[in-house]
Amino acid sequence: MLRILLHRLLLSVPLLIFVTALTFFLVSLTPGDPAVVILGQNRAPEEYQRLREQLGLMQPVPVQYAGWVETLLHGSLGTSIFNNESVVAKLNARLGVTLSLVVLTSLVSAVVGVALGVASALRRGALARAVDILSLLGIVLPSFWVALVLVAVFAVRLQWLPAIGYVKPSENLGGWLRSLVLPVAVLAGPAIGLIAQQSRNAMLDVLDRPFIRTLRAGGVRPGSLIYRHALRNAGVPILTVIGLVFIALLGGTIIAENVFALPGLGGLAVEATGRHDLPVIQGIVLYFTVIVVVVNLIVDLLYAWLNPRIRVS
């Protein structure tokens, strides 16, 4: 288990370097100039050049990236170009919103998706077809359209849930849950179908194996046979798709946070990209990459727990 942990941590270092470097160079190629955004179109040429020098934009891109890495090694992500606010403070203030949305959506998707997958593997027939339809609808229907429909029905017409805004759990736990119901519903729809399909296929594969027939013939109780033996052996592919869903939700938060006006990292990424605020963009990419590394590490550890052979492979 410790070897798996150390191996993953070592692999994460070049991943962080590659992702941050690629993001830095790609953002530098996109149209836009922070100095123009700050000064406006009616600017004096001398003032424009002076501001670009102050922001370090006159240096070559590799030199700018090296300076950012040096700042990172000193435990800082720099400051925002537009308000000189600490990037770490800016991101930490929004991190809880994004994590709340992603974690809650992942939990709902995993529980409902696995339950539907197991049930459709046991009963098949109409339930299996319903899972296929749910998965197809999740792929076909645009998330922003689903979000607008849910807002129109549950927020505007029925007035059961807030249309926009976020309540901190420390202020009002019930209000926090209500503010996340619609965003979670929008993001969980496609994820539930995907997890349900993978769970059903994995369970069907395991249920057809000889050891299941042997256990069934030996009089093992159906509940123990399904949940203790079959589901555990089907756990590796199910965990894989749940981990992929969690990672994909990091990108999905951009739509949800903008539609429902949630002050998370996704909305901040859109704002920073529009303003070409490179330190903030780099900070968000770094945060997301670290989250991906942590999620993959947790999934690997769960693999080893489910299948002891992985620990010695």
Side-chain angles (χ1 to χ4, degrees):
M1 194 77 75
L2 181 60
R3 186 173 63 85
I4 295 175
L5 179 63
L6 293 176
H7 180 68
R8 277 297 182 184
L9 290 176
L10 288 176
L11 288 178
S12 66
V13 175
L15 175 64
L16 288 171
I17 295 174
F18 173 77
V19 171
T20 55
L22 181 63
T23 303
F24 200 98
F25 285 99
L26 288 178
V27 172
S28 68
L29 296 176
T30 59
D33 189 334
V36 174
V37 177
I38 294 173
L39 296 176
Q41 297 296 329
N42 299 322
R43 60 187 183 277
E46 300 80 8
E47 187 179 12
Y48 171 72
Q49 292 296 330
R50 185 167 57 252
L51 180 58
R52 283 184 58 84
E53 291 178 1
Q54 291 176 356
L55 297 177
L57 301 177
M58 303 296 291
Q59 299 175 336
V61 174
V63 175
Q64 294 182 43
Y65 178 72
W68 180 82
V69 172
E70 183 179 359
T71 302
L72 177 63
L73 293 177
H74 285 85
S76 172
L77 292 176
T79 59
S80 170
I81 290 176
F82 291 88
N83 54 20
N84 289 325
E85 183 181 354
S86 168
V87 172
V88 172
K90 199 177 185 71
L91 299 187
N92 288 345
R94 292 174 173 252
L95 179 62
V97 180
T98 298
L99 286 181
S100 296
L101 182 57
V102 173
V103 172
L104 194 57
T105 303
S106 298
L107 289 175
V108 171
S109 303
V111 172
V112 178
V114 171
L116 285 175
V118 172
S120 63
L122 297 176
R123 298 182 180 275
R124 309 186 187 187
L127 187 56
R129 289 192 293 271
V131 168
D132 290 334
I133 294 173
L134 176 63
S135 179
L136 181 62
L137 288 176
I139 296 173
V140 172
L141 296 178
S143 297
F144 68 88
W145 181 83
V146 176
L148 294 176
V149 171
L150 293 179
V151 168
V153 175
F154 294 100
V156 177
R157 185 176 181 83
L158 299 177
Q159 297 185 356
W160 290 352
L161 298 167
I164 59 173
Y166 177 79
V167 178
K168 295 181 179 179
S170 58
E171 297 176 356
N172 187 332
L173 185 59
W176 172 73
L177 288 172
R178 292 181 72 249
S179 67
L180 290 177
V181 169
L182 292 182
V184 167
V186 171
L187 295 176
I192 289 174
L194 183 62
I195 294 173
Q197 271 197 331
Q198 182 62 59
S199 301
R200 182 192 63 197
N201 295 339
M203 285 292 294
L204 288 174
D205 178 65
V206 173
L207 289 173
D208 287 336
R209 293 181 185 177
F211 82 94
I212 293 293
R213 292 194 292 270
T214 302
L215 291 172
R216 186 180 288 117
V220 176
R221 291 179 304 167
S224 178
L225 182 70
I226 297 301
Y227 298 105
R228 184 178 178 182
H229 299 283
L231 187 57
R232 178 158 186 162
N233 280 274
V236 170
I238 295 174
L239 275 176
T240 300
V241 74
I242 291 175
L244 293 174
V245 163
F246 189 102
I247 294 171
L249 287 173
L250 293 174
T253 58
I254 295 177
I255 296 176
E257 289 176 5
N258 279 278
V259 171
F260 295 101
L262 301 177
L265 293 179
L268 181 61
V270 174
E271 176 187 329
T273 302
R275 303 172 73 177
H276 222 269
D277 196 342
L278 189 53
V280 174
I281 297 173
Q282 283 293 105
I284 294 172
V285 169
L286 181 64
Y287 271 42
F288 278 0
T289 306
V290 170
I291 292 173
V292 170
V293 170
V294 172
V295 170
N296 285 330
L297 179 59
I298 293 173
V299 170
D300 282 345
L301 295 177
L302 289 174
Y303 285 167
W305 174 70
L306 286 173
N307 188 351
R309 289 176 296 180
I310 297 178
R311 304 175 195 172
V312 294
S313 61

